[in-house]
Amino acid sequence: MKKKHVILSESIEFPNQKIIDVDMEKQVRQGFIEYSMSVITSRALPDVRDGMKPGQRRILYAMYEDNLTHDKPFRKSATTVGNVLGRYHPHGDAAVYGTMVRMAQDFSYRYTLVDGQGNFGNVDGDGAAAYRYTEARLSKIAAELMRDIEKDVVDMVPNFDNTRKEPTVLPSRFPNLLVNGAVGIAVGMATNIPTHNLGEVIDGTIALMDDPDITVDGLMEHIKGPDFPTYATIYGTRGIRDAYATGRGRIAVRAKAEIEDEHHRIVFTEIPYMVNKSMLVSSIADLVSSKRIDGITDIRDESGQAGMRIVVEYRRDANAEVILNQLYKYTQLQDTFAVNMLALDHGVPKIFTLKQILENYVAFQEDIITRRTRFDLDKALAEEHIYEGYKMALDHIDEIIDLIKKSASVADARENLMARFGFSEKQAQAIVDMTLGKLSGLERQKIEERLLALRARVEELTGILADERKIRAIVRDELIELKEKYGDERRTEIVEATDDIDLEDLIERHACVLTLTHAGYIKRLPADTYTAQHRGGKGVIGMTTKEEDFIEKVLVANSHSYILFFTSAGRVHMRKAYQIPEGSRTAKGSNVVNLFELAGGERVTAMIEVTAFGDEDYLTMVTKRGIIKRTLLSEYAYQRKNGKIALSLDEGDELLFVKHTTGSEEIVIATHDGNAVRFAEDEARAMGRTARGVRGIRVADDDEVCGVAVVEPDKQLVTITENGYGKRSSFDEFRLMKNRGGHGVAAHKINEKTGRLASIATVSDEDDLMLITDEGVIIRTPVSDIPIYSRTAGGVIVMRMNEGAKIVGFTKVASVSAEEAAAAEEKAAAENDALIPPIFTGEGGEEDEI
């Protein structure tokens, strides 16, 4: 990085003029980091304890300081904006006013924290009037955010100019983060927390206090789901549970619609949260104009004081249900609320689950009650101390009066009292300040009664501080009191969606065959589509292909297994087997670009079946130029929409083969020229997911790797050539190389008749082979029909082909009895129950480290 020279002055000469070297990259990086952290911690994200961003907290506290409570008259919004800017938040006035306006909008907040008088905007997206025209004060429930703040229950810090103190967090006597939600975009992260019903959240909080081990499902018995201020309907509960269990989820929200057949119209009375009504109506009109939705004759917005009402009229011959479903599909009448429960935990941004949010809130409230009790105790002890002085003074009142009369000054009297009777300075001062009225008999009785009450109060408060159960009981009781005072009925209805049914429960577990063509067309078929033929058969058509296309890959897997798709560019994508579109035996299939995001020229080169992502298994990868790499299988458990990096490649190289290994196996790598090398798997040390790898076999410039096999005891290596010749060989004929990276030994005698080596595989007598030609013909033949020869033999004809056709690959299929098949299906079902549920972590996420 070049350093920039900054000259302090070019036009004026100074005697001490000098050049300062500045590392611009370091300065820019440091500046951006500081800016990012400022946005994250001081502007955009809420605190998990009170659900407030700094700007919101400062607005409410400034209004509280000005005594703008719900029982006081309104005051101009400009006053509050100015006070917030001058005292705590020296930023733009538009930002402050915009934040205050949103806290006053009953369509933005489930329980508004600001009472507004005047134009504070509407659901059509119209902005609020200028702050000189509107008036505002704290709402009634906002007082619960401030309750006990004067009792030192939260930390106070200096403001920006050290002239005042401001709270780092509000006491928030109700779980505001969940109740009113939060929306914010920081640098590199964003939060989007939906609003909830106050009563439900309090019930969930109490349930957690009663049972700290409560599950997400247990909490959802109380907290049903988000409760939006704009009502509407949540469609399906799976997204809710995902959000509560992981902190992230996608919730479908639908407008409430009523079909009036007699008037040929659909009336919408509720719309999803944060949807602009005027833009929604405009988008419906655009769909009608573009003929994307047919049958609509008129669209009217009849909303008014009676509530929201959007009317869509349709032709007499149109199907109302079809139109309604089209409107849900193409407009924000059905919207997705992407939950991302990101908040600050003591200044650190974290993704919280529902239970973690409630746990943090309960711990915070316990601390609030502890600090409040300690404050009240200190105050009671101080008052008790004064009243003990009063009582002692009344017992010696004549002597005390005489002593005060003889003292030269108040200070002298105070010192004399302290010296004569042992009063503390505070007690002596209180006695000196005592009026003559305190000497009456009635006042003496009041002092004694007050002292007894104070002693009882001190004992009560001391007992609370000594018992955590009492503190939790106070939190619980005060939450119940809040629910009774402010709780209301749920607004948003939750209905089960048809797609909430787990697809895996509806899909029969079975063995299936996945085929992939050279041009990238993939399909899934039941394995029993292909019946076994004896050696030398001609096979059946496995797919209709274009003239220049042919089947390249075949994988037999359980329908509920995960399939890892590795590409030539070194990336990996993942799908469940049943998610691959099913086709008929002769169908072409679907192009993989419809399933995965592939770059130009990138193609799928390997498919691996995975039933569970263990920490002891590996994926061993081999490239076209003989590079090998091992990576833990667990590193591929979670996938992103655009896939992950599987390994880094040199220019001109491609990832071709991937095998599932255990870390203690032996590998055979073969090339098209018929050479093969055998070595221990641990010769290639395990590397990170984005590493390049090491040399596994040395290949000539005109040669390439054509196959990889894992050595297994009592099994053989089958080699098949492009012209249909094959044989089995014992692994003992391939000596174990001490070092990887050599040229290897002959694995198959290659000549003009046999053609080049197509591929290799590890097989047993019980297996079947599926061979694929470049014409799309597939033959399934028993391995037992293929003879065993030495590694240097040329083999026998395994498949007869048309002139000019070539074998491009093969895969093995276990040949089992009906009883064994049933047992395998049962085992597959059990394994499927233990699979890791999530396939994708979302559309975003961290970038791959390369």
Side-chain angles (χ1 to χ4, degrees), residues 82-123:
N83 289 340
V84 172
L85 292 175
R87 297 175 191 171
Y88 307 116
H89 203 71
H91 299 284
D93 59 337
V96 173
Y97 184 53
T99 300
M100 188 175 78
V101 164
R102 193 168 188 275
M103 290 192 288
Q105 293 174 337
D106 58 5
F107 53 87
S108 294
Y109 270 49
R110 181 62 178 82
Y111 302 87
T112 56
L113 302 178
V114 172
D115 282 343
Q117 186 166 267
N119 176 16
F120 276 81
N122 56 38
V123 75

Side-chain angles (χ1 to χ4, degrees), residues 177-190:
L177 181 64
L178 287 172
V179 168
N180 278 319
V183 178
I185 301 175
V187 178
M189 58 185 68

